[in-house]
Amino acid sequence: MRLDYITIFPEYFAPLNASLVGKAIDSGILATGVHDLRQYTHDVHRSVDDTPFGGGAGMVMKPEPWGEALDAIVGPDSQSQTQGERTVLIIPTPSGIRFTQQVAAELADYDHLVFACGRYEGIDARVPQYARTLVEVRELSLGDYVLNGGEVAALAMTEAIVRLLPGVIGNPASLAEESHSEELAGLLEYPLYTKPASWRGMDVPDILLSGHHAKIAQWRRDKAEELTRDRRPDLVPSSD
Ligand code: SAM
């Protein structure tokens, strides 16, 4: 898979070289490119923003640098198009569709993901409209809150997607039975414990030390349901 990031803060993407994502790059499972949006400006100030039409506070990202960046990275003459890669442009935005584990799984099937990281009050609305003439576009929100920019959202989405690629997580069994996984029917994960069995007066539940696999599975299922009902009732499947 190839990942490209368009941003005015390329230094934000240093963490890509760390941990499991970094290892996936080293082993050739992933290739990444970070593109400074200002390299597509032509004025002396390398400006990427301007005041909003209609008035109001804040600045809006100008369409021209975005148009040139998108032409270079996903336009008809780009490597992505000439090699026939399955590509999607992801625009992180609080007004997007919610990014979920299911969306992460869908995106893990693409060859090429491009993230357009907004700043200021966001990107001129004609940019996604233009991008849709070139490539599939998804406007995605990390959650119901507002960040300063799309970089952190792009990194969070990257981790969720990349860990689903074959070879990225050492033991693929760790992907099963996680919160939001199909194996747990979309529930939150049950509580986990490791050694020692007793710590600061708190004991691991006896059932987990029993070696009785069926009873352990039932206990975990019950705990997953209990936790989900308590913290995220919206995720509990309806009984009808
Ligand atoms: N004016 C925008 C609004 O009210 O929806 C908020 C803009 S925000 C300050 C600047 C940038 O941060 C956005 O263009 C987007 O790239 C990113 N961003 C902020 N919150 C986000 C979220 N919840 N999910 C994804 N991206 C987000």
Side-chain angles (χ1 to χ4, degrees):
M1 176 183 273
R2 179 168 177 86
L3 301 164
D4 282 292
Y5 304 86
I6 312 171
T7 173
I8 58 168
F9 291 117
E11 62 274 22
Y12 243 101
F13 291 91
L16 285 176
N17 295 316
S19 188
L20 291 175
V21 177
K23 277 194 192 147
I25 294 171
D26 290 343
S27 64
I29 296 171
L30 283 182
T32 55
V34 180
H35 310 267
D36 186 347
L37 183 69
R38 293 193 199 274
Q39 100 190 52
Y40 299 99
T41 58
H42 303 288
D43 63 309
V44 32
H45 300 295
R46 307 178 83 204
S47 17
V48 291
D49 59 311
D50 210 331
T51 51
F53 276 125
M59 301 294 271
V60 177
M61 293 191 104
K62 293 156 64 68
E64 300 97 319
W66 279 108
E68 287 195 28
L70 293 175
D71 288 344
I73 297 163
V74 292
D77 300 328
S78 64
Q79 189 180 315
S80 187
Q81 298 276 8
T82 54
Q83 296 194 350
E85 291 174 341
R86 195 165 173 235
T87 302
V88 59
L89 175 73
I90 298 163
I91 306 182
T93 165
S95 56
I97 288 169
R98 179 75 71 88
F99 178 79
T100 60
Q101 188 66 26
Q102 194 196 317
V103 175
E106 288 167 22
L107 292 172
D109 273 343
Y110 284 76
D111 304 312
H112 186 193
L113 308 182
V114 182
F115 291 88
C117 303
R119 281 270 153 181
Y120 311 105
E121 288 308 316
I123 305 174
D124 186 291
R126 291 165 292 184
V127 172
Q129 193 183 337
Y130 172 68
R132 284 192 168 88
T133 67
L134 303 175
V135 71
E136 180 184 340
V137 176
R138 295 208 193 187
E139 295 179 74
L140 296 175
S141 168
L142 208 56
D144 295 341
Y145 43 81
V146 178
L147 303 165
N148 285 337
E151 290 77 8
V152 168
L155 282 170
M157 291 179 198
T158 298
E159 278 216 1
I161 297 162
V162 162
R163 68 198 300 280
L164 302 178
L165 300 179
V168 171
I169 301 275
N171 178 3
S174 345
L175 294 177
E177 294 218 359
E178 283 193 310
S179 297
H180 310 292
S181 68
E182 274 176 36
E183 287 79 356
L184 267 186
L187 300 175
L188 303 178
E189 192 179 54
Y190 42 79
L192 300 169
Y193 300 89
T194 185
K195 295 179 205 66
S198 186
W199 177 72
R200 298 193 177 188
M202 292 174 279
D203 295 333
V204 170
D206 287 341
I207 185 75
L208 297 178
L209 310 176
S210 71
H212 197 301
H213 298 304
K215 284 191 180 159
I216 291 172
Q218 184 58 51
W219 180 88
R220 287 179 164 166
R221 172 87 203 177
D222 292 347
K223 287 290 170 191
E225 279 182 15
E226 195 180 303
L227 199 71
T228 311
R229 235 180 285 115
D230 185 36
R231 294 185 185 168
R232 292 290 306 276
D234 55 306
L235 295 179
V236 178
S238 72
S239 47
D240 40 83

